[in-house]
Amino acid sequence: MDKDKHWKIHVFLLLTVIIIFVWSVIKPASYLDWLAEVSPAVVAIIIVVAIYNKFRFTTFSYFIIALLSILTFIGGHYTYSEVPLFNWIKEEFHLQRNDYDRFGHFLKGLMAIVIREILIRKTPLTTGAWLTGITISILLAIAALYEIIEWLSTKISKGSNTAKDFVGMQGDPWDAQWDMFSAFIGTVLALLLFTKFHDKLLKRQEK
């Protein structure tokens, strides 16, 4: 695929993300919760766009960034514990909670591919056990940091409804541990499934 076709795909992904972003800001369940949820994704998108000409990711990495941003905007619009599709799944299968939050943390494991690409292209690391181990460690550190931020939000706001929506525990005292475990499983699966494919994309991009 030539550079022009890649560029068109990148523009399409960006426009799709912008459209979902605009939709998400229209009458969300809570503007404060929306702001807390979508801010990291918005900052990430701005950075990715700003460095586009200096550091261009593979199209697969851009697809992952777009997908995770869209998932974040949807969660921010409804709050993670009230996403309609997962409310339906909860009722249909008699589950104890809306699992959109857990689903989102699982898919965040895909960010391992993006992290891996940065490490390969910007550090002396090459493919192998060290690269895999460091990639997993970085993603788990990010997942843990996010849980710490959620915990701090409840302490600072003294248990306000906005903080509860942001954390999305839904009465589960082990929610933070489950979220980090979901991210870990997603990371391992992403690396197992996509490492070889991603290596091929990186080699093509070097040509």
Side-chain angles (χ1 to χ4, degrees):
M1 190 181 294
D2 58 38
K3 290 184 178 180
D4 186 53
K5 287 184 179 179
H6 278 293
W7 181 82
K8 288 179 180 177
I9 293 172
H10 301 165
V11 172
F12 171 77
L13 289 172
L14 179 60
L15 289 176
T16 302
V17 168
I18 291 172
I19 289 169
I20 302 299
F21 171 80
V22 172
W23 163 81
S24 75
V25 77
I26 299 172
K27 296 181 179 179
S30 164
Y31 276 106
L32 283 176
D33 183 63
W34 175 87
L35 183 63
E37 296 287 4
V38 308
S39 293
V42 171
V43 171
I45 291 167
I46 291 172
I47 293 172
V48 167
V49 171
I51 66 172
Y52 184 77
N53 290 325
K54 294 182 179 180
F55 187 92
R56 193 164 299 185
F57 288 98
T58 58
T59 297
F60 186 49
S61 285
Y62 282 124
F63 174 79
I64 290 171
I65 294 168
L67 173 63
L68 296 181
S69 298
I70 289 169
L71 288 171
T72 300
F73 296 155
I74 293 172
H77 180 80
Y78 293 109
T79 76
Y80 275 79
S81 58
E82 294 295 338
V83 173
L85 174 60
F86 282 76
N87 271 340
W88 175 82
I89 292 172
K90 173 186 174 183
E91 294 171 6
E92 188 70 17
F93 295 97
H94 308 290
L95 304 177
Q96 294 183 342
R97 54 174 285 151
N98 181 310
D99 280 323
Y100 185 79
D101 180 51
R102 206 140 289 162
F103 173 72
H105 280 89
F106 171 75
L107 284 187
K108 282 173 185 173
L110 289 170
M111 273 302 294
I113 299 300
V114 181
I115 293 168
R116 183 177 186 274
E117 180 166 343
I118 295 171
L119 291 174
I120 288 174
R121 294 174 59 185
K122 290 296 181 179
T123 74
L125 288 168
T126 57
T127 55
W130 275 104
L131 176 64
T132 300
I134 292 173
T135 299
I136 293 173
S137 297
I138 290 173
L139 201 136
L140 284 178
I142 294 171
L145 176 61
Y146 196 80
E147 296 303 322
I148 291 171
I149 291 171
E150 287 186 345
W151 170 72
L152 285 174
S153 73
T154 63
K155 294 298 180 183
I156 294 170
S157 65
K158 298 180 180 179
S160 69
N161 288 332
T162 297
K164 289 177 181 177
D165 288 337
F166 177 56
V167 174
M169 289 180 66
Q170 300 182 64
D172 184 358
W174 300 103
D175 182 70
Q177 288 83 352
W178 273 111
D179 287 347
M180 288 186 285
F181 180 68
S182 298
F184 172 69
I185 296 299
T187 300
V188 172
L189 286 176
L191 291 172
L192 286 173
L193 293 174
F194 300 120
T195 289
K196 289 185 179 179
F197 172 68
H198 190 227
D199 285 341
K200 290 179 182 178
L201 295 179
L202 289 170
K203 288 179 181 178
R204 289 177 190 171
Q205 188 154 309
E206 291 173 358
K207 294 180 181 178

